[in-house]
Structures are given as C-alpha cells and as structure tokens.
Amino acid sequence: MKQYSGSFNKRSRLLKHPALNEPSDARLKALDASGLPDHLESVLQVQNDFFPCFDWTFPPPLLSTHAPPASASALFSHPSVEPGRYSLYLHLPFCKTLCSFCYYTVLPGRGIEQSSQYLDYLIREMGLYAPSLQGEWCESIYIGGGTPTYLDEPQLVTLIQAIRDRFHLLEDAEISIEAAPGTLSRTKLETLKQLGVNRLSYGIQTLDEAMLATMNRHYRVADAEHELALALDIIGNVNVDTMYGFEHEPDGALNRTLQRFHALGIPSLSIYSLDTQRIRKGKSLSGPPRDEQYEYKIDAFSRACDQLCTLGYEPVLQNVFVQPGRGSYRHQVRRWDNLPLVSLGISAQGYAPRMPYQNVGALKPYYQLLDEDRLPIATVDPLTPEMELIREVSSCLRFTRLDLGNIQRRYGVDLDYVFGDLIATLQKLGYLQRDGDSLQMTGKAAYYNNIIPMLFAPDAFKQQLLSLPEEYLAEYPVPQVMVQAGSTQSAAINVQLPSTYHPAPG
C-alpha cells in the first residue's frame, strides 16, 4: 500500500494522506483527439495552491512502504541514463535563527553545538557510498542547509577535504555552498576559494529591512552588501536568492531589489514566492488554503522576468537567471536530466536510477542507522522505466525546456508518437511553444505550470489515482486534473535504453 502526500506536488507538511488502494473499477476517460482541446480547456479551470511552486517534483511524493535497500550498491543497481556521472548534495542543518518562511529541516541557534558530531556522521555516510561510485565522476557538489557557512573554517576544511578524499571530482566540477548574512568573512571566503568552492548562493530575500524583521531575520542591509562585495571579489560566481509575496509588500518591491542587486554586480539571481500554505495558521485538514495573492504573484513574477531579461540575464531554470559567462547553476539544471544525485545528511532527498529516496529527518535515527553501518534512508519510491522517462520529460518541461530528440536518443521513445495529440492540443491552446525539437511552456501556461507537465504522466499511473477518495481529488488540483483529463497517450510507452554507453571523460 502507498500513501500520497497531502500537498501532492511538493514535499511539505503532510496535511492528509489517503491510501492508494487496489486498482479502482472506474476507468480513465478514453482519448478523444478531436475533442481534447475543449476537454483540457475545461479541465484546467482550477487554481493551483500558489504561484510559482519551485519544489515541484514528479512523480508526486509518496509515503512508500518499500524497505530501503541494504547497501549503496543495491540502491544504484539499475543502469543510469547518465552513465559514469553523478552529483552530490550535503545537508548541513545549522542556522543562526529560524526564518519564518523556512520549511527545511534545520537546527537553529544552539544547534550549532552539535555540528562537530554531525560532521563525523556525515563523513561516515560518505564512506557507505564511496565504494559503489569508484570509477564514476562527480560533476557537481551542492552544500546546502541550513546555513553551511555558519560552520567555522576548520570544519569547512574537514568537510570539503573529506569529499575530495572519497569521491572523484571532475576537474571543472561546480562546487556550490549556501550562505546567509552574518556568516561570511574575508578569511572564510578565501578558505572556501582555496578548497575549490566556485559558486556561492547567498540567501537575503529582500533589501527591505522592515520586511526582513517580519521573517525573523535581523541584520543590516549595508552589512549584507559588504559581504556580497567580498564574495564577488573572491568567489565571483555568486547567486542571490530573492523572495516576494510578503504580507503588506509594497508594489514593485521585488523589482527594486533585483535592480539593486544588478547594480551591485550580482551575476545570478533566483526568485522565490513566499509559500503562505506552509506558514498560515489554522490549516484545515481537508486541504491547503488557496493563496489570496495568486494573481499578484503571477503578475509580479512576469514583470521580474521581463526586467531581468532586459538587464541581460538569461533564464537557466524557470526562476534562476544568470549573466552569460559570469554565473552558473549546473547542479540544479542537470538534476532534471535524471542525473544520479547522492544526497547526504538528515532529510536529504536523492536520486538513484529509478529510485528516488529520502533520508531520515532527525538526528537520533540518523546516528543510529550509521552506527549500524546502514544507509540512513527513510523512504524509497521505485520507478518503472516509463515513470523514470516521464520524470525527466515533465521536469524538463516544468523547469527548463524539453528536447524531444534528446529524449529519443536516451530512452528510445518518440514523444511525438506517444503524446502527439496532447502536444498538438497544448500548442493549439497556447500553453506550449515549439522550436524544432524543443518544447517550452508559454507565459499563458503560468496559471497551470504545476499541472500541465503532469498531463504527460503514463495513463497507467493516472488510472491508479482513481483509487484515491473523491473528496481528496476534489481538494487537490494536480491529481484532480490528472484524473479528469483522462487518457493523454496516443500510443504505448516502450522505453529502450541504449545497450552501450560512452564512458565519462576523466
């Protein structure tokens, strides 16, 4: 038996999780190619929970009863569509304070006192994976949290040296670390540079000190700008996270923040929407509240995108913009190519071929499992080859763009044949635009950009959703639309992975 997350299209608070039981007697609506445009146009008249949702994932999060694999070699037993390559994520949960908007697993304040023990166990976890990855190459590392730069310099040296000792890094590997105001000094930045860190992501959210105070973030903007100037001088490839959609937010606040960061010379900017669903009190157990700023957020995000493009930035993900030649974010872009992601630390979410997984979310079981020389994995969600294919298809469409020719080379599947009627319909409705083999969602699709990629889910998966309770389907827009849309396949999916692969360069 499997159970679905109450939020379905993101890993967040589980408000409700009905079981996905035995196959339902109900059947999906059969595909009617001629009537599909009118049918989808009517089905899509439903509001998402909020906009934009950036931690969207396919397949939708499951609470799975599958037992975690006994070893890393078992976890990585399926062939990869990215042979010889992988990336690393390390979760460091330590922060000075808990931001009001944060939903990640963190240990604020005096939690830093546990950092030395946590690092010891994190290095032990590395040791469980390293033997299975010999001969393969790590192309990117992302050290996130939390605030990893809350650690002191000797700890950062210990951590990154341990990574280098256990994993084979490509010479041009992207090594990113997250930082927050008040945690960077010149000497710490110089240490990170010497350790090979070549990308820094700085979480400041806004330059409005009054709004910062409402987030439980207390620092002077001038001090943060000083740290950014140091980071630009020493690291160079710096990203700044911005956020919008706060209560009583002045109109144009996001645009003024972006303009200021551009003036400071920041080469990469990320835009996030405040998720009031996670912080609003009085949630109903019957489902998440709808976002009252939904229309405003779509408009504000659109204006911000236009502004950044005018300033010479280019989107590498839906919400991440870089100046060509100065900024990068290869780690996240490559994530949607089904590149294996070895994730370490509490609550870390990883991806082995056909095996998404998530680590346990608390220190006690994390330490206990590692003391037993076991992977600290809480859940795994085995995928069929068809579901792995659609994971890449839907994720690329959701976050970047979809290359149909690349999919055919990697999976042996012609999406124009399998989903030809769906693709043509979404183009006719103005939700997809096509340039040769490249498909991308349009601005018109913004209202439904959490849902449209899900329409490419295999019909067999949508059939399973029919066993969910009707009241659940009525509350949550993603499964509701997937079921109501009915069959969207024009032909069967028959994945045929290449029999030979070219080795990764050393």
Side-chain angles (χ1 to χ4, degrees):
M1 176 183 293
K2 297 179 180 178
Q3 292 184 314
Y4 277 85
S5 155
S7 292
F8 199 87
N9 64 334
K10 48 197 170 291
R11 292 186 184 274
S12 61
R13 187 185 306 276
L14 299 176
L15 303 178
K16 180 180 180 183
H17 36 84
L20 184 65
N21 297 311
E22 296 301 318
S24 170
D25 291 334
R27 306 303 300 173
L28 282 178
K29 181 183 183 298
L31 176 64
D32 173 12
S34 62
L36 191 57
D38 288 341
H39 178 59
L40 286 188
E41 190 78 303
S42 64
V43 165
L44 286 173
Q45 299 305 312
V46 60
Q47 180 184 314
N48 288 314
D49 297 331
F50 69 101
F51 179 88
C53 170
F54 295 117
D55 54 355
W56 179 98
T57 184
F58 183 92
L62 300 173
L63 294 176
S64 175
T65 57
H66 289 278
S71 65
S73 58
L75 180 65
F76 285 84
S77 61
H78 293 295
S80 172
V81 295
E82 291 285 341
R85 298 290 190 99
Y86 65 95
S87 59
L88 281 173
Y89 172 80
L90 299 95
H91 186 73
L92 299 177
F94 308 105
C95 286
K96 283 190 173 183
T97 59
L98 177 62
C99 301
S100 62
F101 57 81
C102 183
Y103 56 89
Y104 293 108
T105 301
V106 297
L107 301 172
R110 297 184 63 180
I112 192 67
E113 296 172 3
Q114 305 179 65
S115 58
S116 293
Q117 182 183 21
Y118 183 82
L119 282 181
D120 290 341
Y121 276 88
L122 196 63
I123 293 170
R124 290 170 65 174
E125 188 181 5
M126 292 182 202
L128 296 181
Y129 282 97
S132 299
L133 297 169
Q134 294 300 309
E136 301 192 9
W137 294 88
C138 177
E139 62 176 55
S140 68
I141 298 168
Y142 194 96
I143 304 172
T147 306
T149 53
Y150 194 20
L151 272 62
D152 60 34
E153 291 164 43
Q155 288 177 316
L156 291 169
V157 170
T158 296
L159 173 66
I160 296 177
Q161 191 57 54
I163 295 170
R164 291 187 173 277
D165 289 345
R166 288 159 180 79
F167 302 103
H168 299 301
L169 275 60
L170 287 174
E171 186 175 348
D172 65 345
E174 181 184 82
I175 305 178
S176 300
I177 191 167
E178 290 182 348
T183 66
L184 294 178
S185 63
R186 175 175 286 277
T187 56
K188 184 174 288 188
L189 284 164
E190 289 173 343
T191 297
L192 291 172
K193 178 72 172 180
Q194 292 167 3
L195 291 169
V197 171
N198 50 27
R199 183 181 181 275
L200 184 139
S201 188
Y202 194 76
I204 188 171
Q205 282 68 51
T206 180
L207 295 175
D208 186 316
E209 290 187 357
M211 285 200 294
L212 285 170
T214 69
M215 307 177 212
N216 197 31
R217 307 203 73 174
H218 305 283
Y219 53 82
R220 295 176 61 247
V221 166
D223 295 338
E225 290 186 354
H226 175 69
E227 287 187 347
L228 280 173
L230 290 175
L232 284 169
D233 181 55
I234 297 168
I235 304 293
N237 185 10
V238 175
N239 174 77
V240 171
D241 289 338
T242 65
M243 185 174 284
Y244 69 104
F246 297 99
E247 189 175 4
H248 307 307
E249 177 179 283
D251 189 44
L254 174 61
N255 302 96
R256 290 188 291 275
T257 293
L258 295 174
Q259 189 68 45
R260 177 57 180 162
F261 285 133
H262 170 67
L264 292 171
I266 304 299
S268 176
L269 292 164
S270 304
I271 309 172
Y272 293 91
S273 165
L274 179 67
D275 180 1
T276 55
Q277 173 178 304
R278 291 192 173 94
I279 63 174
R280 189 177 301 175
K281 296 180 179 179
K283 296 185 180 78
S284 166
L285 292 180
S286 64
R290 298 298 184 249
D291 191 338
E292 295 174 356
Q293 297 195 74
Y294 184 69
E295 299 282 348
Y296 163 76
K297 289 180 178 179
I298 290 177
D299 179 64
F301 183 75
S302 177
R303 284 186 281 129
C305 292
D306 291 343
Q307 175 188 11
L308 290 175
C309 289
T310 299
L311 293 172
Y313 293 81
E314 295 181 359
V316 293
L317 290 169
Q318 183 199 39
N319 68 314
V320 181
F321 296 78
V322 303
Q323 293 177 330
R326 296 191 63 221
S328 70
Y329 198 3
R330 280 185 284 152
H331 179 87
Q332 191 73 351
V333 171
R334 290 281 285 146
R335 178 181 175 184
W336 309 123
D337 294 335
N338 278 341
L339 179 74
L341 173 63
V342 179
S343 290
L344 311 172
I346 59 172
S347 295
Q349 299 171 19
Y351 183 76
R354 292 177 49 191
M355 194 77 72
Y357 68 93
Q358 182 168 10
N359 275 359
V360 295
L363 291 180
K364 184 176 180 179
Y366 180 71
Y367 293 162
Q368 181 178 342
L369 287 166
L370 288 170
D371 282 337
E372 298 169 0
D373 289 326
R374 296 164 58 193
L375 297 178
I377 294 176
T379 62
V380 294
D381 183 21
L383 305 180
T384 64
E386 292 75 20
M387 288 291 279
E388 181 184 47
L389 160 69
I390 300 303
R391 180 182 189 268
E392 180 169 341
V393 167
S394 60
S395 298
C396 287
L397 189 60
R398 175 64 177 77
F399 291 104
T400 55
R401 63 179 64 225
L402 178 62
D403 185 330
L404 300 178
N406 187 49
I407 290 295
Q408 186 157 14
R409 288 188 294 272
R410 287 157 63 85
Y411 296 93
V413 174
D414 181 353
L415 293 178
D416 275 323
Y417 177 67
V418 175
F419 289 106
D421 293 310
L422 176 60
I423 291 172
T425 294
L426 292 174
Q427 286 183 269
K428 180 178 180 179
L429 294 173
Y431 297 135
L432 283 186
Q433 58 188 19
R434 183 164 186 163
D435 182 10
D437 273 351
S438 177
L439 285 179
Q440 188 173 21
M441 285 197 290
T442 65
K444 182 182 177 181
Y447 287 81
Y448 316 114
N449 68 355
N450 291 336
I451 295 176
I452 287 174
M454 293 282 190
L455 297 177
F456 288 83
D459 286 348
F461 179 72
K462 294 198 289 285
Q463 176 64 42
Q464 282 185 290
L465 298 184
L466 288 173
S467 69
L468 289 168
E470 291 183 7
E471 62 272 18
Y472 180 82
L473 293 175
E475 284 287 343
Y476 294 93
V478 172
Q480 180 192 61
V481 171
M482 291 172 73
V483 169
Q484 290 182 351
S487 176
T488 55
Q489 286 180 221
S490 305
I493 301 174
N494 183 20
V495 173
Q496 298 181 25
L497 297 179
S499 57
T500 59
Y501 295 102
H502 298 290

